[in-house]
Amino acid sequence: MQISRRKLLLGVGAAGVLASGASALVPMVRRDGKFIVTKSRALPVDGTSGELPKEADAVIIGGGIQGVLTAINLAERGMSVTLFEKGAIAGEQSGRAYSQVISYKTSPEIFPLHHYSKKLWRGMNEKIGADTSYRTQGRVEVPSSEEDLARSIDWIISARETAGFGTPLNTRIIGGNELTKRLANAKTPWKIAGFEEDSGSVDPETGVPVLAQYAKKIGVKIFTHCAVRGIETAGGKVSGVVTERGSVKAPSVVLAGGIWSRLFMGNLGVDIPTLNVYLSQQRVSGAPGAPRGNVHLPNGIHFREQADGTYAVAPRIFTSSIVKDSFLLGSQFSHLLGGGELPLKFKLGEDLFNSFNIATQWGLDEVTPFETHRIATATQNNEHLDGVFERMKAEFPVFKNSEIVERWGAVVSPTADELPIISEVEKYPGLVINTATIWGMSEGPASSEVTADILTGKTPIIDPAPFSLSRFNS
Ligand SMILES: Cc1cc2nc3c(=O)[nH]c(=O)nc-3n(C[C@H](O)[C@H](O)[C@H](O)COP(=O)(O)OP(=O)(O)OC[C@H]3O[C@@H](n4cnc5c(N)ncnc54)[C@H](O)[C@@H]3O)c2cc1C
């Protein structure tokens, strides 16, 4: 998922407007997108029953894709691993994603994570002996302009040269019959597209829960509905965690807390500059004669076939409520202000008030925001969802009788440079962070391996320097 600089910065732009006078906000008022506590839409996973263990080799905070895959990685290295999830496995981002697994046009920094991850995803079902719903399916992306086409060709040439991991880049420019077949029954006679043959997808409601079942099978203890309040230290190093159900001693802790990592680290005096961004998602029923696989068109149509035959349909519109962090982080995100037309509207409302009410400091014997927000999301924007579904039906009339199966809202929390944080924390030896990715479903297998390598002192297969926490100090 690529957040255009222009879109991401709308939240910061709105903060700037707020500073210049509340009346200027009136044209930017957005009526959707409110931060709420919700239910999981992912397949339920039973947690480990009984008492918490007294100790573990490693504790993982967070039961999304990063936490679960990091737990698997460490357990496969023979370590005893305990994972804590404040709500449900994949209750937040990892159960709410569009969930395409791609590398097309990714930045040079994250391309290795994506290219390597795609390889790992392809072997995942066989490795764990279960169906995660991952499918290799191919993705067509029609360029939006001549310049976009030129950039895409340049990207392919350069990525071919840098693709490693014993896997050549399987992406090319297509046209003619091949494109017509892949965009079956399209009304527009599309002429040329980028085609990523080995892209894939994993259905968000299924993927991470099935991985979590595997994690349990190989010995990971998973405690759901159990928030970690903070870490403990001894002799200048991490010595364990304190949860709402008691403490667990551990020399190694991984924070994979998704949108909550910023708050968690803030309580420890470490700033993680991430800003919440809202999205909406939906699933619609399939249709005979519809294109298979993954389609991305320049007229704002994006859909992906799921393993169950339904289609995930994404508006790919990113909005940001004006909240306390808009003021705190505005300057760090300000270079992303791209100008141009602003297609989104922003809301000055309850989110702003509520954001000042969430505790940012607490003691380890106090109830934390993690316990009051077991599963959090943003309310969906039906206008955005209707828009993309209507465009899809107009372009592909075979979908005219398709029905909406489900709609939901979601939150991601990127950094200003749109790179993940996969890093040690200098102040707390023994603590490693794996968070802030906006491409977690694609990157997860690689970034969790890199995390496990950092934690165990092994040289990672991918250089983690671009993802280091220290980059924010310079
Ligand atoms: C609408 C949408 C579309 C997307 N599309 C794509 C896509 O097409 N391709 C792609 O690669 N990525 C996509 N993404 C991004 C991807 O979903 C995320 O990058 C990924 O899921 C992040 O995983 P995570 O494990 O870091 O976070 P999460 O899945 O959010 O997991 C973090 C978990 O930590 C738990 N937690 C937090 N604090 C604590 C605590 N103190 N104690 C215990 N538990 C805690 C939370 O409850 C949460 O379950 C999309 C995301 C969204 C929302």
Side-chain angles (χ1 to χ4, degrees), residues 61-62 64-66 84-86 92-94 96-100 228 256-258 260 281 370 410 412 437-442:
I61 306 169
I65 190 157
Q66 300 298 350
F84 291 106
E85 165 53 54
K86 67 178 168 58
E92 294 189 343
Q93 293 176 76
S94 300
R96 296 173 173 273
Y98 181 51
S99 234
Q100 53 183 347
V228 176
W260 301 96
Q281 268 301 134
F370 313 122
V412 294
T437 171
I438 47 175
W439 281 109
M441 306 309 286
S442 297

PDB file of all heavy atoms in Angstrom, residues 61-62 64-66 84-86 92-94 96-100 228 256-258 260 281 370 410 412 437-442, ligand 1:
ATOM      1  N   ILE A  61       5.038  -8.511  22.023  1.00  0.00           N
ATOM      2  CA  ILE A  61       3.876  -7.672  22.325  1.00  0.00           C
ATOM      3  C   ILE A  61       3.141  -7.398  21.017  1.00  0.00           C
ATOM      4  O   ILE A  61       3.654  -6.681  20.147  1.00  0.00           O
ATOM      5  CB  ILE A  61       4.310  -6.340  22.979  1.00  0.00           C
ATOM      6  CG1 ILE A  61       5.186  -6.606  24.208  1.00  0.00           C
ATOM      7  CG2 ILE A  61       3.087  -5.498  23.347  1.00  0.00           C
ATOM      8  CD1 ILE A  61       5.886  -5.366  24.754  1.00  0.00           C
ATOM      9  N   GLY A  62       1.959  -7.987  20.860  1.00  0.00           N
ATOM     10  CA  GLY A  62       1.154  -7.738  19.665  1.00  0.00           C
ATOM     11  C   GLY A  62       0.922  -8.988  18.839  1.00  0.00           C
ATOM     12  O   GLY A  62       1.869  -9.687  18.481  1.00  0.00           O
ATOM     13  N   GLY A  64      -0.521  -9.181  15.710  1.00  0.00           N
ATOM     14  CA  GLY A  64      -0.746  -8.965  14.278  1.00  0.00           C
ATOM     15  C   GLY A  64       0.284  -9.770  13.505  1.00  0.00           C
ATOM     16  O   GLY A  64       0.992 -10.611  14.072  1.00  0.00           O
ATOM     17  N   ILE A  65       0.402  -9.478  12.213  1.00  0.00           N
ATOM     18  CA  ILE A  65       1.306 -10.298  11.397  1.00  0.00           C
ATOM     19  C   ILE A  65       2.750 -10.203  11.875  1.00  0.00           C
ATOM     20  O   ILE A  65       3.471 -11.208  11.906  1.00  0.00           O
ATOM     21  CB  ILE A  65       1.185  -9.951   9.893  1.00  0.00           C
ATOM     22  CG1 ILE A  65       1.940 -10.995   9.077  1.00  0.00           C
ATOM     23  CG2 ILE A  65       1.676  -8.524   9.580  1.00  0.00           C
ATOM     24  CD1 ILE A  65       1.492 -11.118   7.667  1.00  0.00           C
ATOM     25  N   GLN A  66       3.170  -8.992  12.296  1.00  0.00           N
ATOM     26  CA  GLN A  66       4.572  -8.856  12.699  1.00  0.00           C
ATOM     27  C   GLN A  66       4.856  -9.631  13.974  1.00  0.00           C
ATOM     28  O   GLN A  66       5.888 -10.300  14.082  1.00  0.00           O
ATOM     29  CB  GLN A  66       4.935  -7.373  12.881  1.00  0.00           C
ATOM     30  CG  GLN A  66       4.758  -6.516  11.647  1.00  0.00           C
ATOM     31  CD  GLN A  66       5.646  -6.939  10.481  1.00  0.00           C
ATOM     32  OE1 GLN A  66       6.541  -7.768  10.621  1.00  0.00           O
ATOM     33  NE2 GLN A  66       5.388  -6.370   9.324  1.00  0.00           N
ATOM     34  N   PHE A  84       1.768 -11.738  23.798  1.00  0.00           N
ATOM     35  CA  PHE A  84       0.603 -11.105  24.423  1.00  0.00           C
ATOM     36  C   PHE A  84      -0.118 -10.229  23.411  1.00  0.00           C
ATOM     37  O   PHE A  84       0.516  -9.439  22.694  1.00  0.00           O
ATOM     38  CB  PHE A  84       1.029 -10.244  25.623  1.00  0.00           C
ATOM     39  CG  PHE A  84       1.520 -11.061  26.772  1.00  0.00           C
ATOM     40  CD1 PHE A  84       2.873 -11.127  27.069  1.00  0.00           C
ATOM     41  CD2 PHE A  84       0.626 -11.786  27.546  1.00  0.00           C
ATOM     42  CE1 PHE A  84       3.334 -11.905  28.124  1.00  0.00           C
ATOM     43  CE2 PHE A  84       1.076 -12.569  28.604  1.00  0.00           C
ATOM     44  CZ  PHE A  84       2.430 -12.626  28.892  1.00  0.00           C
ATOM     45  N   GLU A  85      -1.426 -10.392  23.370  1.00  0.00           N
ATOM     46  CA  GLU A  85      -2.275  -9.579  22.499  1.00  0.00           C
ATOM     47  C   GLU A  85      -3.364  -8.971  23.387  1.00  0.00           C
ATOM     48  O   GLU A  85      -4.076  -9.692  24.077  1.00  0.00           O
ATOM     49  CB  GLU A  85      -2.863 -10.463  21.389  1.00  0.00           C
ATOM     50  CG  GLU A  85      -4.023  -9.860  20.636  1.00  0.00           C
ATOM     51  CD  GLU A  85      -3.756  -8.470  20.051  1.00  0.00           C
ATOM     52  OE1 GLU A  85      -2.778  -8.306  19.323  1.00  0.00           O
ATOM     53  OE2 GLU A  85      -4.549  -7.534  20.372  1.00  0.00           O
ATOM     54  N   LYS A  86      -3.495  -7.650  23.346  1.00  0.00           N
ATOM     55  CA  LYS A  86      -4.461  -6.988  24.239  1.00  0.00           C
ATOM     56  C   LYS A  86      -5.906  -7.322  23.877  1.00  0.00           C
ATOM     57  O   LYS A  86      -6.791  -7.295  24.716  1.00  0.00           O
ATOM     58  CB  LYS A  86      -4.245  -5.469  24.220  1.00  0.00           C
ATOM     59  CG  LYS A  86      -4.571  -4.791  22.893  1.00  0.00           C
ATOM     60  CD  LYS A  86      -4.358  -3.282  22.994  1.00  0.00           C
ATOM     61  CE  LYS A  86      -4.397  -2.606  21.640  1.00  0.00           C
ATOM     62  NZ  LYS A  86      -5.604  -2.766  20.836  1.00  0.00           N
ATOM     63  N   GLU A  92      -6.797  -5.949  14.763  1.00  0.00           N
ATOM     64  CA  GLU A  92      -6.635  -4.598  14.209  1.00  0.00           C
ATOM     65  C   GLU A  92      -6.131  -4.694  12.761  1.00  0.00           C
ATOM     66  O   GLU A  92      -6.726  -5.401  11.956  1.00  0.00           O
ATOM     67  CB  GLU A  92      -5.759  -3.754  15.144  1.00  0.00           C
ATOM     68  CG  GLU A  92      -6.490  -3.538  16.478  1.00  0.00           C
ATOM     69  CD  GLU A  92      -5.845  -2.536  17.417  1.00  0.00           C
ATOM     70  OE1 GLU A  92      -4.668  -2.200  17.247  1.00  0.00           O
ATOM     71  OE2 GLU A  92      -6.548  -2.089  18.354  1.00  0.00           O
ATOM     72  N   GLN A  93      -5.057  -3.961  12.424  1.00  0.00           N
ATOM     73  CA  GLN A  93      -4.661  -3.832  11.008  1.00  0.00           C
ATOM     74  C   GLN A  93      -4.595  -5.152  10.232  1.00  0.00           C
ATOM     75  O   GLN A  93      -5.076  -5.241   9.113  1.00  0.00           O
ATOM     76  CB  GLN A  93      -3.266  -3.207  10.922  1.00  0.00           C
ATOM     77  CG  GLN A  93      -3.165  -1.786  11.384  1.00  0.00           C
ATOM     78  CD  GLN A  93      -1.717  -1.339  11.331  1.00  0.00           C
ATOM     79  OE1 GLN A  93      -1.197  -1.059  10.269  1.00  0.00           O
ATOM     80  NE2 GLN A  93      -1.064  -1.290  12.470  1.00  0.00           N
ATOM     81  N   SER A  94      -3.966  -6.162  10.847  1.00  0.00           N
ATOM     82  CA  SER A  94      -3.701  -7.391  10.086  1.00  0.00           C
ATOM     83  C   SER A  94      -4.971  -8.154   9.730  1.00  0.00           C
ATOM     84  O   SER A  94      -4.936  -9.039   8.871  1.00  0.00           O
ATOM     85  CB  SER A  94      -2.741  -8.302  10.861  1.00  0.00           C
ATOM     86  OG  SER A  94      -1.529  -7.638  11.071  1.00  0.00           O
ATOM     87  N   ARG A  96      -7.696  -6.375   8.810  1.00  0.00           N
ATOM     88  CA  ARG A  96      -8.536  -5.352   8.158  1.00  0.00           C
ATOM     89  C   ARG A  96      -7.915  -4.848   6.865  1.00  0.00           C
ATOM     90  O   ARG A  96      -8.402  -3.884   6.278  1.00  0.00           O
ATOM     91  CB  ARG A  96      -8.740  -4.166   9.127  1.00  0.00           C
ATOM     92  CG  ARG A  96      -9.479  -4.570  10.342  1.00  0.00           C
ATOM     93  CD  ARG A  96      -9.597  -3.544  11.428  1.00  0.00           C
ATOM     94  NE  ARG A  96     -10.494  -4.133  12.385  1.00  0.00           N
ATOM     95  CZ  ARG A  96     -11.807  -4.045  12.340  1.00  0.00           C
ATOM     96  NH1 ARG A  96     -12.389  -3.291  11.435  1.00  0.00           N
ATOM     97  NH2 ARG A  96     -12.564  -4.671  13.205  1.00  0.00           N
ATOM     98  N   ALA A  97      -6.831  -5.464   6.421  1.00  0.00           N
ATOM     99  CA  ALA A  97      -6.063  -4.946   5.284  1.00  0.00           C
ATOM    100  C   ALA A  97      -6.716  -5.300   3.953  1.00  0.00           C
ATOM    101  O   ALA A  97      -7.593  -6.154   3.872  1.00  0.00           O
ATOM    102  CB  ALA A  97      -4.656  -5.518   5.332  1.00  0.00           C
ATOM    103  N   TYR A  98      -6.249  -4.659   2.902  1.00  0.00           N
ATOM    104  CA  TYR A  98      -6.560  -5.062   1.517  1.00  0.00           C
ATOM    105  C   TYR A  98      -5.759  -6.335   1.222  1.00  0.00           C
ATOM    106  O   TYR A  98      -6.228  -7.237   0.560  1.00  0.00           O
ATOM    107  CB  TYR A  98      -6.170  -3.910   0.591  1.00  0.00           C
ATOM    108  CG  TYR A  98      -6.433  -4.105  -0.873  1.00  0.00           C
ATOM    109  CD1 TYR A  98      -7.684  -4.508  -1.333  1.00  0.00           C
ATOM    110  CD2 TYR A  98      -5.434  -3.855  -1.821  1.00  0.00           C
ATOM    111  CE1 TYR A  98      -7.919  -4.660  -2.700  1.00  0.00           C
ATOM    112  CE2 TYR A  98      -5.669  -3.998  -3.173  1.00  0.00           C
ATOM    113  CZ  TYR A  98      -6.903  -4.400  -3.606  1.00  0.00           C
ATOM    114  OH  TYR A  98      -7.135  -4.546  -4.957  1.00  0.00           O
ATOM    115  N   SER A  99      -4.518  -6.331   1.720  1.00  0.00           N
ATOM    116  CA  SER A  99      -3.738  -7.566   1.815  1.00  0.00           C
ATOM    117  C   SER A  99      -3.191  -8.103   0.507  1.00  0.00           C
ATOM    118  O   SER A  99      -3.141  -9.313   0.314  1.00  0.00           O
ATOM    119  CB  SER A  99      -4.589  -8.628   2.506  1.00  0.00           C
ATOM    120  OG  SER A  99      -3.913  -9.150   3.596  1.00  0.00           O
ATOM    121  N   GLN A 100      -2.795  -7.230  -0.378  1.00  0.00           N
ATOM    122  CA  GLN A 100      -2.061  -7.699  -1.546  1.00  0.00           C
ATOM    123  C   GLN A 100      -0.598  -7.864  -1.144  1.00  0.00           C
ATOM    124  O   GLN A 100      -0.095  -7.113  -0.296  1.00  0.00           O
ATOM    125  CB  GLN A 100      -2.210  -6.727  -2.715  1.00  0.00           C
ATOM    126  CG  GLN A 100      -1.850  -5.289  -2.395  1.00  0.00           C
ATOM    127  CD  GLN A 100      -2.089  -4.338  -3.556  1.00  0.00           C
ATOM    128  OE1 GLN A 100      -2.304  -4.764  -4.668  1.00  0.00           O
ATOM    129  NE2 GLN A 100      -2.039  -3.037  -3.288  1.00  0.00           N
ATOM    130  N   VAL A 228       0.082  -5.824  27.568  1.00  0.00           N
ATOM    131  CA  VAL A 228       1.357  -5.550  28.241  1.00  0.00           C
ATOM    132  C   VAL A 228       1.355  -4.066  28.596  1.00  0.00           C
ATOM    133  O   VAL A 228       1.144  -3.212  27.741  1.00  0.00           O
ATOM    134  CB  VAL A 228       2.557  -5.894  27.322  1.00  0.00           C
ATOM    135  CG1 VAL A 228       3.864  -5.509  27.994  1.00  0.00           C
ATOM    136  CG2 VAL A 228       2.547  -7.384  26.980  1.00  0.00           C
ATOM    137  N   ALA A 256       5.640  -5.290  18.744  1.00  0.00           N
ATOM    138  CA  ALA A 256       4.995  -5.294  17.420  1.00  0.00           C
ATOM    139  C   ALA A 256       3.556  -4.839  17.635  1.00  0.00           C
ATOM    140  O   ALA A 256       2.605  -5.542  17.319  1.00  0.00           O
ATOM    141  CB  ALA A 256       5.058  -6.697  16.804  1.00  0.00           C
ATOM    142  N   GLY A 257       3.432  -3.649  18.199  1.00  0.00           N
ATOM    143  CA  GLY A 257       2.132  -3.165  18.690  1.00  0.00           C
ATOM    144  C   GLY A 257       1.318  -2.362  17.695  1.00  0.00           C
ATOM    145  O   GLY A 257       0.342  -1.719  18.082  1.00  0.00           O
ATOM    146  N   GLY A 258       1.709  -2.358  16.424  1.00  0.00           N
ATOM    147  CA  GLY A 258       0.913  -1.661  15.405  1.00  0.00           C
ATOM    148  C   GLY A 258       0.719  -0.189  15.756  1.00  0.00           C
ATOM    149  O   GLY A 258       1.667   0.513  16.134  1.00  0.00           O
ATOM    150  N   TRP A 260      -0.328   1.146  18.242  1.00  0.00           N
ATOM    151  CA  TRP A 260      -0.130   1.454  19.662  1.00  0.00           C
ATOM    152  C   TRP A 260       1.334   1.558  20.051  1.00  0.00           C
ATOM    153  O   TRP A 260       1.661   1.902  21.194  1.00  0.00           O
ATOM    154  CB  TRP A 260      -0.836   0.410  20.527  1.00  0.00           C
ATOM    155  CG  TRP A 260      -2.291   0.375  20.238  1.00  0.00           C
ATOM    156  CD1 TRP A 260      -2.945  -0.487  19.385  1.00  0.00           C
ATOM    157  CD2 TRP A 260      -3.286   1.268  20.736  1.00  0.00           C
ATOM    158  NE1 TRP A 260      -4.276  -0.180  19.336  1.00  0.00           N
ATOM    159  CE2 TRP A 260      -4.513   0.899  20.161  1.00  0.00           C
ATOM    160  CE3 TRP A 260      -3.243   2.348  21.614  1.00  0.00           C
ATOM    161  CZ2 TRP A 260      -5.698   1.580  20.437  1.00  0.00           C
ATOM    162  CZ3 TRP A 260      -4.423   3.019  21.893  1.00  0.00           C
ATOM    163  CH2 TRP A 260      -5.633   2.633  21.308  1.00  0.00           C
ATOM    164  N   GLN A 281     -12.479  -0.374   3.769  1.00  0.00           N
ATOM    165  CA  GLN A 281     -12.339  -1.597   2.986  1.00  0.00           C
ATOM    166  C   GLN A 281     -13.691  -2.269   2.805  1.00  0.00           C
ATOM    167  O   GLN A 281     -14.593  -2.071   3.621  1.00  0.00           O
ATOM    168  CB  GLN A 281     -11.429  -2.587   3.717  1.00  0.00           C
ATOM    169  CG  GLN A 281      -9.982  -2.523   3.375  1.00  0.00           C
ATOM    170  CD  GLN A 281      -9.669  -2.753   1.913  1.00  0.00           C
ATOM    171  OE1 GLN A 281      -8.904  -2.018   1.340  1.00  0.00           O
ATOM    172  NE2 GLN A 281     -10.293  -3.739   1.283  1.00  0.00           N
ATOM    173  N   PHE A 370      -4.365   0.437  26.529  1.00  0.00           N
ATOM    174  CA  PHE A 370      -4.430  -0.835  25.800  1.00  0.00           C
ATOM    175  C   PHE A 370      -5.592  -1.689  26.314  1.00  0.00           C
ATOM    176  O   PHE A 370      -6.162  -2.492  25.585  1.00  0.00           O
ATOM    177  CB  PHE A 370      -3.107  -1.601  25.942  1.00  0.00           C
ATOM    178  CG  PHE A 370      -1.897  -0.729  25.705  1.00  0.00           C
ATOM    179  CD1 PHE A 370      -0.914  -0.583  26.679  1.00  0.00           C
ATOM    180  CD2 PHE A 370      -1.766  -0.016  24.522  1.00  0.00           C
ATOM    181  CE1 PHE A 370       0.184   0.235  26.459  1.00  0.00           C
ATOM    182  CE2 PHE A 370      -0.673   0.812  24.297  1.00  0.00           C
ATOM    183  CZ  PHE A 370       0.305   0.946  25.272  1.00  0.00           C
ATOM    184  N   ALA A 410     -10.464   1.035   9.047  1.00  0.00           N
ATOM    185  CA  ALA A 410      -9.168   0.594   9.569  1.00  0.00           C
ATOM    186  C   ALA A 410      -8.247   1.792   9.787  1.00  0.00           C
ATOM    187  O   ALA A 410      -8.504   2.878   9.284  1.00  0.00           O
ATOM    188  CB  ALA A 410      -8.518  -0.381   8.586  1.00  0.00           C
ATOM    189  N   VAL A 412      -3.939   2.768   9.920  1.00  0.00           N
ATOM    190  CA  VAL A 412      -2.520   2.417   9.864  1.00  0.00           C
ATOM    191  C   VAL A 412      -1.740   3.576  10.471  1.00  0.00           C
ATOM    192  O   VAL A 412      -2.280   4.668  10.644  1.00  0.00           O
ATOM    193  CB  VAL A 412      -2.027   2.140   8.420  1.00  0.00           C
ATOM    194  CG1 VAL A 412      -2.666   0.902   7.841  1.00  0.00           C
ATOM    195  CG2 VAL A 412      -2.276   3.344   7.509  1.00  0.00           C
ATOM    196  N   THR A 437       4.869  -0.403   9.796  1.00  0.00           N
ATOM    197  CA  THR A 437       4.837  -0.699   8.372  1.00  0.00           C
ATOM    198  C   THR A 437       3.439  -0.430   7.803  1.00  0.00           C
ATOM    199  O   THR A 437       2.440  -0.674   8.466  1.00  0.00           O
ATOM    200  CB  THR A 437       5.228  -2.162   8.084  1.00  0.00           C
ATOM    201  OG1 THR A 437       4.974  -2.424   6.706  1.00  0.00           O
ATOM    202  CG2 THR A 437       4.429  -3.140   8.915  1.00  0.00           C
ATOM    203  N   ILE A 438       3.412   0.075   6.567  1.00  0.00           N
ATOM    204  CA  ILE A 438       2.131   0.193   5.877  1.00  0.00           C
ATOM    205  C   ILE A 438       1.999  -0.914   4.832  1.00  0.00           C
ATOM    206  O   ILE A 438       1.065  -0.939   4.051  1.00  0.00           O
ATOM    207  CB  ILE A 438       1.953   1.584   5.226  1.00  0.00           C
ATOM    208  CG1 ILE A 438       3.196   1.979   4.449  1.00  0.00           C
ATOM    209  CG2 ILE A 438       1.593   2.617   6.277  1.00  0.00           C
ATOM    210  CD1 ILE A 438       3.044   3.290   3.683  1.00  0.00           C
ATOM    211  N   TRP A 439       2.980  -1.815   4.844  1.00  0.00           N
ATOM    212  CA  TRP A 439       2.984  -2.936   3.903  1.00  0.00           C
ATOM    213  C   TRP A 439       3.191  -4.242   4.657  1.00  0.00           C
ATOM    214  O   TRP A 439       3.908  -5.128   4.191  1.00  0.00           O
ATOM    215  CB  TRP A 439       4.115  -2.763   2.892  1.00  0.00           C
ATOM    216  CG  TRP A 439       3.853  -1.802   1.786  1.00  0.00           C
ATOM    217  CD1 TRP A 439       4.403  -0.578   1.604  1.00  0.00           C
ATOM    218  CD2 TRP A 439       2.977  -2.002   0.668  1.00  0.00           C
ATOM    219  NE1 TRP A 439       3.932  -0.003   0.456  1.00  0.00           N
ATOM    220  CE2 TRP A 439       3.060  -0.851  -0.140  1.00  0.00           C
ATOM    221  CE3 TRP A 439       2.121  -3.041   0.275  1.00  0.00           C
ATOM    222  CZ2 TRP A 439       2.319  -0.702  -1.325  1.00  0.00           C
ATOM    223  CZ3 TRP A 439       1.391  -2.893  -0.892  1.00  0.00           C
ATOM    224  CH2 TRP A 439       1.497  -1.730  -1.680  1.00  0.00           C
ATOM    225  N   GLY A 440       2.625  -4.343   5.840  1.00  0.00           N
ATOM    226  CA  GLY A 440       2.935  -5.483   6.702  1.00  0.00           C
ATOM    227  C   GLY A 440       2.550  -6.835   6.131  1.00  0.00           C
ATOM    228  O   GLY A 440       3.224  -7.827   6.389  1.00  0.00           O
ATOM    229  N   MET A 441       1.470  -6.887   5.347  1.00  0.00           N
ATOM    230  CA  MET A 441       1.057  -8.185   4.813  1.00  0.00           C
ATOM    231  C   MET A 441       2.066  -8.652   3.759  1.00  0.00           C
ATOM    232  O   MET A 441       2.301  -9.843   3.597  1.00  0.00           O
ATOM    233  CB  MET A 441      -0.363  -8.113   4.217  1.00  0.00           C
ATOM    234  CG  MET A 441      -1.411  -7.568   5.169  1.00  0.00           C
ATOM    235  SD  MET A 441      -1.463  -8.348   6.802  1.00  0.00           S
ATOM    236  CE  MET A 441      -2.204  -9.927   6.443  1.00  0.00           C
ATOM    237  N   SER A 442       2.652  -7.696   3.040  1.00  0.00           N
ATOM    238  CA  SER A 442       3.702  -8.047   2.072  1.00  0.00           C
ATOM    239  C   SER A 442       5.018  -8.320   2.788  1.00  0.00           C
ATOM    240  O   SER A 442       5.691  -9.311   2.534  1.00  0.00           O
ATOM    241  CB  SER A 442       3.916  -6.910   1.067  1.00  0.00           C
ATOM    242  OG  SER A 442       2.770  -6.676   0.303  1.00  0.00           O
TER     243      SER A 442
HETATM  244  C1  LIG B   1      -7.234  -0.980   4.885  1.00  0.00           C
HETATM  245  C2  LIG B   1      -5.817  -1.479   4.881  1.00  0.00           C
HETATM  246  C3  LIG B   1      -5.261  -1.933   3.690  1.00  0.00           C
HETATM  247  C4  LIG B   1      -3.978  -2.464   3.695  1.00  0.00           C
HETATM  248  N1  LIG B   1      -3.499  -3.030   2.554  1.00  0.00           N
HETATM  249  C5  LIG B   1      -2.304  -3.652   2.563  1.00  0.00           C
HETATM  250  C6  LIG B   1      -1.868  -4.366   1.413  1.00  0.00           C
HETATM  251  O1  LIG B   1      -2.565  -4.455   0.414  1.00  0.00           O
HETATM  252  N2  LIG B   1      -0.656  -4.969   1.470  1.00  0.00           N
HETATM  253  C7  LIG B   1       0.145  -4.908   2.575  1.00  0.00           C
HETATM  254  O2  LIG B   1       1.235  -5.456   2.549  1.00  0.00           O
HETATM  255  N3  LIG B   1      -0.275  -4.258   3.693  1.00  0.00           N
HETATM  256  C8  LIG B   1      -1.470  -3.635   3.710  1.00  0.00           C
HETATM  257  N4  LIG B   1      -1.903  -2.966   4.811  1.00  0.00           N
HETATM  258  C9  LIG B   1      -0.986  -2.792   5.945  1.00  0.00           C
HETATM  259  C10 LIG B   1      -0.944  -4.004   6.850  1.00  0.00           C
HETATM  260  O3  LIG B   1      -2.230  -4.423   7.158  1.00  0.00           O
HETATM  261  C11 LIG B   1      -0.192  -3.618   8.116  1.00  0.00           C
HETATM  262  O4  LIG B   1       1.075  -3.105   7.750  1.00  0.00           O
HETATM  263  C12 LIG B   1       0.033  -4.820   9.017  1.00  0.00           C
HETATM  264  O5  LIG B   1      -1.164  -5.494   9.259  1.00  0.00           O
HETATM  265  C13 LIG B   1       0.648  -4.343  10.327  1.00  0.00           C
HETATM  266  O6  LIG B   1       0.827  -5.460  11.149  1.00  0.00           O
HETATM  267  P1  LIG B   1       1.288  -5.278  12.641  1.00  0.00           P
HETATM  268  O7  LIG B   1       1.464  -6.624  13.197  1.00  0.00           O
HETATM  269  O8  LIG B   1       2.426  -4.333  12.672  1.00  0.00           O
HETATM  270  O9  LIG B   1       0.086  -4.482  13.344  1.00  0.00           O
HETATM  271  P2  LIG B   1      -1.348  -5.006  13.828  1.00  0.00           P
HETATM  272  O10 LIG B   1      -1.929  -5.988  12.898  1.00  0.00           O
HETATM  273  O11 LIG B   1      -2.154  -3.789  14.089  1.00  0.00           O
HETATM  274  O12 LIG B   1      -1.032  -5.753  15.177  1.00  0.00           O
HETATM  275  C14 LIG B   1      -0.591  -5.073  16.323  1.00  0.00           C
HETATM  276  C15 LIG B   1      -1.274  -5.752  17.499  1.00  0.00           C
HETATM  277  O13 LIG B   1      -0.657  -5.342  18.692  1.00  0.00           O
HETATM  278  C16 LIG B   1      -1.639  -5.332  19.691  1.00  0.00           C
HETATM  279  N5  LIG B   1      -1.134  -4.512  20.808  1.00  0.00           N
HETATM  280  C17 LIG B   1      -0.797  -3.201  20.768  1.00  0.00           C
HETATM  281  N6  LIG B   1      -0.333  -2.800  21.950  1.00  0.00           N
HETATM  282  C18 LIG B   1      -0.381  -3.872  22.769  1.00  0.00           C
HETATM  283  C19 LIG B   1      -0.038  -4.071  24.141  1.00  0.00           C
HETATM  284  N7  LIG B   1       0.453  -3.073  24.898  1.00  0.00           N
HETATM  285  N8  LIG B   1      -0.218  -5.300  24.672  1.00  0.00           N
HETATM  286  C20 LIG B   1      -0.693  -6.323  23.907  1.00  0.00           C
HETATM  287  N9  LIG B   1      -1.041  -6.167  22.618  1.00  0.00           N
HETATM  288  C21 LIG B   1      -0.879  -4.965  22.048  1.00  0.00           C
HETATM  289  C22 LIG B   1      -2.844  -4.748  18.989  1.00  0.00           C
HETATM  290  O14 LIG B   1      -4.037  -5.070  19.642  1.00  0.00           O
HETATM  291  C23 LIG B   1      -2.735  -5.368  17.614  1.00  0.00           C
HETATM  292  O15 LIG B   1      -3.529  -6.532  17.468  1.00  0.00           O
HETATM  293  C24 LIG B   1      -3.197  -2.458   4.869  1.00  0.00           C
HETATM  294  C25 LIG B   1      -3.758  -1.988   6.057  1.00  0.00           C
HETATM  295  C26 LIG B   1      -5.047  -1.523   6.067  1.00  0.00           C
HETATM  296  C27 LIG B   1      -5.624  -1.091   7.366  1.00  0.00           C
END
